[in-house]
Amino acid sequence: EADPEGASSVRIRVRTQPTHREHCRPTMEGVRQLSKLPCCTCAAPIEPNSRGQCFDCIRAEVDICAGVSKVVALDRCSVCGAFHRNPQWIQIEPESPEMLAMCLKKTHGLDGPTDTQGTSTCKLIDAAFIWTESHCKRLKVKVTLRGEVAGGIVLEQQCVIEYVLRGGQCKACERNASKQTWKTCVQLRQKASDPRVLHYLEQLILASGNAVTATDIKTTKGGMDFFFLDRQPAEKLVGFLTQWAMTRIKTSMELITHNEKAGTANIRHTWAVEVAPLCKDDLVLLPKATANLLGMPSPLVILAKVGRSTLIVHPQTGQAAVLSEIQYWKEPFKPLLWRKNAKQYTVIDIEVDPHELRAAGGGIARSTGLTAAAIATAAPGKGTASVSARSMTGSQTSRGSKATRAKLSSRFLRGDGHS
């Protein structure tokens, strides 16, 4: 350039070139660009991996839901709507958590290998019902799966599983349709004019819950019948009855169907439970052998307590004895008079038996001593009729107390060989 003052001078611009070492120094961005490789499918730059593909291409080619069943069948009773969950039929609310758990449990391929080699696995992440019509026999569930493919690549995919509701009948509805509503039956009977023990057993059965599983309960003459689908609850009820009353049991079996090739048979079992026709406060006439065995002065006794064994009391001497169940059924007998045949009276006077006083040594009569009481009827509007009676209660009886009196006639004692 020319100098403005006229002096000749030259200005030179020099551009320095980098050295070889400075030219070869890599930057971070350059390192990233150099470390990426093109995808073998779409040529997009990717980080090196074992498959040599980008994430989109791997997701398009690999299906981690391939091993999951897309259509599953569910058995539902067309009568009661119960679902079959092996080995039983249960009632489940539609689209409830219980139903979702049952559907997922019946689906093959969840939480397992996604291919035949077992190199990749999937895990259930989320599941939810997709709305369908209430009358539609299809249920749809959308599930989210997370799987790991070869090379440590983790994928998440969603798929829809369709559940087909197959119609059928549960075991209970099949029995109702074929009129085979029971397999075991317990027949409870008490042949008595006043079956108070039977009424007491009925309350015990209701309180214990032994008849909850019964398919039907029918009232018949002299008792009731309990019907069950299985043998175990029937045997439990029979064992419960034998603990509370004097019973006699007879069993029978009836063949319904038989399969000779399979060696199976459908058999109905029946238990006939007969309760002794004895109730509290009944007047009975013991057989001669039983009276001698118990040491009774006479066979005419009163039942003071009735249960698995019976407490009997002699009305004249107050002597007590226990009659066991085996002794009764060895030579059974029926009551002469029931409590409903007796009448209620009011005691107006008491007189101690002089023979009892002499037996006690001239002292005061024992608590079980005999008393001769003048008893007046307490029936209103029918007048007052006083009668004399003998009682074994002794000093426990007082004037004005209530008493129950039973009158015997000769017709009760005919043909029994007793005087």
Side-chain angles (χ1 to χ4, degrees):
E1 293 183 358
D3 189 15
E5 296 180 357
S8 60
S9 62
V10 179
R11 183 179 295 177
I12 301 173
R13 294 182 177 179
V14 180
R15 186 177 182 180
T16 61
Q17 297 292 333
T19 61
H20 178 72
R21 180 176 298 179
E22 293 178 351
H23 181 75
C24 296
R25 183 180 298 171
T27 62
M28 293 300 297
E29 184 178 357
V31 171
R32 293 192 185 95
Q33 294 294 333
L34 291 175
S35 62
K36 290 186 178 180
L37 298 176
C39 175
C40 63
T41 304
C42 63
I46 61 172
E47 298 290 340
N49 57 59
S50 60
R51 297 184 64 93
Q53 291 178 314
C54 63
F55 182 78
D56 295 335
C57 295
I58 294 175
R59 185 171 55 182
E61 292 184 3
V62 178
D63 185 12
I64 63 175
C65 301
V68 180
S69 301
K70 301 302 188 297
V71 179
V72 182
L74 294 178
D75 296 325
R76 185 180 67 174
C77 180
S78 58
V79 179
C80 62
F83 286 87
H84 182 254
R85 187 174 65 183
N86 195 29
Q88 59 185 352
W89 293 80
I90 57 175
Q91 294 285 346
I92 303 180
E93 293 293 331
E95 298 188 3
S96 62
E98 292 79 8
M99 177 173 287
L100 182 60
M102 184 187 67
C103 294
L104 296 178
K105 189 175 181 180
K106 287 182 174 291
T107 305
H108 176 73
L110 296 178
D111 295 333
T114 59
D115 54 4
T116 56
Q117 289 79 16
T119 57
S120 59
T121 58
C122 68
K123 184 178 181 181
L124 180 64
I125 301 301
D126 189 20
F129 279 103
I130 299 177
W131 183 85
T132 56
E133 294 288 345
S134 58
H135 61 273
C136 181
K137 292 188 177 181
R138 297 288 189 276
L139 295 177
K140 294 183 179 181
V141 177
K142 182 174 67 175
V143 298
T144 303
L145 301 177
R146 177 182 297 171
E148 182 179 351
V149 298
I153 302 175
V154 179
L155 298 178
E156 277 193 10
Q157 292 181 357
Q158 291 182 346
C159 65
V160 177
I161 305 175
E162 183 176 335
Y163 297 90
V164 181
L165 302 181
R166 296 187 301 187
Q169 286 185 343
C170 61
K171 293 182 179 180
C173 295
E174 285 180 356
R175 293 190 183 98
N176 292 331
S178 60
K179 297 182 180 180
Q180 296 182 7
T181 57
W182 59 276
K183 279 190 174 182
T184 57
C185 175
V186 178
Q187 299 176 351
L188 181 60
R189 299 289 187 273
Q190 185 183 18
K191 301 176 182 179
S193 178
D194 187 13
R196 285 175 288 153
V197 176
L198 186 65
H199 299 160
Y200 177 67
L201 291 176
E202 180 181 358
Q203 299 300 322
L204 291 177
I205 293 172
L206 292 176
S208 62
N210 287 311
V212 174
T213 57
T215 59
D216 192 11
I217 301 176
K218 294 183 179 179
T219 304
T220 59
K221 184 179 180 180
M224 58 190 70
D225 297 337
F226 300 88
F227 299 93
F228 299 92
L229 292 176
D230 299 322
R231 185 173 178 176
Q232 183 177 0
E235 293 177 345
K236 183 179 179 181
L237 178 59
V238 173
F240 176 79
L241 294 174
T242 56
Q243 296 177 359
W244 292 94
M246 293 193 300
T247 58
R248 181 168 56 181
I249 302 173
K250 295 182 180 179
T251 60
S252 62
M253 294 185 297
E254 180 184 2
L255 180 64
I256 305 300
T257 57
H258 176 58
N259 190 346
E260 295 183 357
K261 293 184 178 180
T264 59
N266 185 11
I267 301 176
R268 283 182 174 178
H269 299 267
T270 303
W271 286 267
V273 182
E274 181 183 357
V275 182
L278 304 178
C279 298
K280 185 180 178 181
D281 300 332
D282 288 348
L283 187 65
V284 299
L285 189 66
L286 298 176
K288 186 182 294 185
T290 305
N292 295 335
L293 181 63
L294 298 176
M296 287 288 137
S298 64
L300 194 64
V301 295
I302 297 177
L303 304 182
K305 184 179 179 181
V306 176
R308 194 169 182 181
S309 59
T310 303
L311 178 64
I312 59 176
V313 179
H314 196 271
Q316 294 180 347
T317 62
Q319 182 179 349
V322 178
L323 178 65
S324 64
E325 183 179 10
I326 299 176
Q327 292 173 347
Y328 172 78
W329 291 113
K330 187 176 181 180
E331 195 173 357
F333 52 87
K334 294 182 178 181
L336 292 179
L337 288 176
W338 294 272
R339 188 171 65 177
K340 68 177 184 178
N341 300 124
K343 295 182 180 180
Q344 190 175 11
Y345 291 83
T346 303
V347 179
I348 60 176
D349 193 12
I350 300 174
E351 181 182 353
V352 181
D353 192 352
H355 298 286
E356 186 68 22
L357 289 175
R358 287 195 296 268
I364 302 175
R366 298 190 299 270
S367 61
T368 58
L370 294 175
T371 59
I375 302 177
T377 179
K382 297 183 179 180
T384 302
S386 60
V387 294
S388 298
R390 297 171 63 87
S391 174
M392 63 179 178
T393 55
S395 60
Q396 298 177 0
T397 304
S398 59
R399 293 182 179 88
S401 60
K402 302 295 182 180
T404 302
R405 173 180 176 270
K407 183 180 180 181
L408 291 177
S409 59
S410 59
R411 63 185 177 91
F412 292 111
L413 304 180
R414 291 175 183 173
D416 292 324
H418 299 288
S419 59

